[in-house]
Amino acid sequence: MSQPLSPESLDGKSVLVTGSSRGIGADTVRFFAEAGARVVINFRNKEARALKLQKEIEAAGGQALSIGADLTDPASVEAMMDTIRAEYGGLDILVLNASGGMESGMAADYALTLNRDAQLNVVEKALPLLSSGSRIVFVTSHQAHFIRTTPTMPEYEPVALSKRAGEDALREKLPALEESGIEFVVVSGDMIEGTITATLLERSNPGAISQRKESAGRLYNVNEFAAEVAQAAVDPIPADHTRLVGDTSDFVAE
């Protein structure tokens, strides 16, 4: 995928992408850095990957920080924001990319804790760093965004419900965000080939991804969807604060 952002278009801007040591988050960070932004690579336990990405960006002349933080731990999130404030002074773009809930061995309420509670806490802790004109981007899936009207695979339903709960909770903050001049947009995409979620779904429900691909005609890959996320951080905000990526014909409109 070619760079969706204009060269130097984000010079002087600071960007945090949660869950960005690999996958969609990592490619999104690359796009921002190539456009001149100072980026923050956030990871939970993939430090080596984060540092490798940081070195890649710095070798290309960019500026990057790698900060480990467990988003479900408020103190850890606050420490990350303190580091960003000390190093960059503030934030212009916050991309809420990190999510989960299909991992084995987690508590029963882990999906809701990460996909709703942690998202709200990250925003709350980031607010002092965000000024008028800054933007928050929440990344989700059609399976979650449309879960109230269109059933999804049973294996994914708990995650979908928790991500929709997170989206709803963030949308409730819209009036306060708008009063502060902070913009907000949801980026919703179909299943993305090559992601951890797709791999786990395929493992628990063999054929699930190929069936979805056949129904949709095509699925975006990681890099293609990352480009959409990066573009959503600079494009005009849609009236409904929602950017739909990929086919939606199988989903019932809200």
Side-chain angles (χ1 to χ4, degrees):
M1 180 72 190
S2 60
Q3 165 64 274
L5 306 177
S6 302
E8 303 178 358
S9 60
L10 294 180
D11 279 2
K13 302 293 186 181
S14 299
V15 181
L16 164 62
V17 181
T18 63
S20 52
S21 64
R22 61 182 176 182
I24 293 167
D27 279 4
T28 303
V29 160
R30 287 187 180 95
F31 288 135
F32 285 139
E34 289 171 3
R38 301 176 297 180
V39 297
V40 179
I41 305 160
N42 162 245
F43 65 92
R44 185 179 64 180
N45 52 25
K46 302 293 183 183
E47 182 178 19
R49 293 190 184 191
L51 292 174
K52 181 180 179 181
L53 177 57
Q54 178 180 342
K55 289 178 181 178
E56 173 191 323
I57 290 169
E58 291 173 342
Q63 189 173 351
L65 292 173
S66 294
I67 306 178
D70 179 352
L71 301 189
T72 65
D73 178 359
S76 183
V77 172
E78 187 163 8
M80 175 170 65
M81 297 303 173
D82 287 344
T83 300
I84 294 171
R85 182 186 292 106
E87 295 292 333
Y88 288 168
L91 280 173
D92 299 286
I93 300 171
L94 167 62
V95 178
L96 300 170
N97 168 71
S99 66
M102 294 193 67
E103 302 89 336
S104 60
M106 295 298 192
D109 62 348
Y110 176 70
L112 197 60
T113 299
L114 175 59
N115 298 328
R116 183 194 63 187
D117 301 345
Q119 307 301 319
L120 285 171
N121 182 62
V122 170
V123 169
E124 285 298 323
K125 294 292 193 294
L127 282 177
L129 281 72
L130 296 166
S131 57
S132 181
S134 58
R135 183 173 297 193
I136 298 172
V137 180
F138 178 72
V139 181
T140 189
S141 66
H142 293 344
Q143 288 74 16
H145 180 69
F146 292 102
I147 189 62
R148 306 295 189 205
T149 52
T150 305
T152 189
M153 292 166 273
E155 298 83 0
Y156 189 67
E157 185 176 40
V159 176
L161 288 170
S162 67
K163 283 194 66 72
R164 182 68 220 205
E167 178 182 337
D168 290 342
L170 289 167
R171 286 182 183 273
E172 288 178 5
K173 299 181 70 65
L174 264 171
L177 292 174
E178 290 176 342
E179 187 174 342
S180 298
I182 299 171
E183 300 170 333
F184 175 78
V185 63
V186 171
V187 181
S188 176
D190 208 332
M191 287 295 173
I192 309 299
E193 289 189 297
T195 61
I196 296 300
T197 297
T199 300
L200 293 174
L201 270 174
E202 189 68 21
R203 187 177 301 165
S204 60
N205 185 355
I209 301 304
S210 59
Q211 289 170 15
R212 180 62 205 145
K213 185 176 182 178
E214 182 178 353
S215 178
R218 73 177 290 262
L219 296 179
Y220 279 60
N221 63 35
V222 167
N223 192 253
E224 290 171 329
F225 187 64
E228 294 284 347
V229 174
Q231 194 70 55
V234 299
D235 278 356
I237 301 287
D240 62 354
H241 296 270
T242 308
R243 183 186 184 100
L244 298 175
V245 179
D247 179 68
T248 60
S249 60
D250 287 346
F251 299 91
V252 178
E254 296 173 291

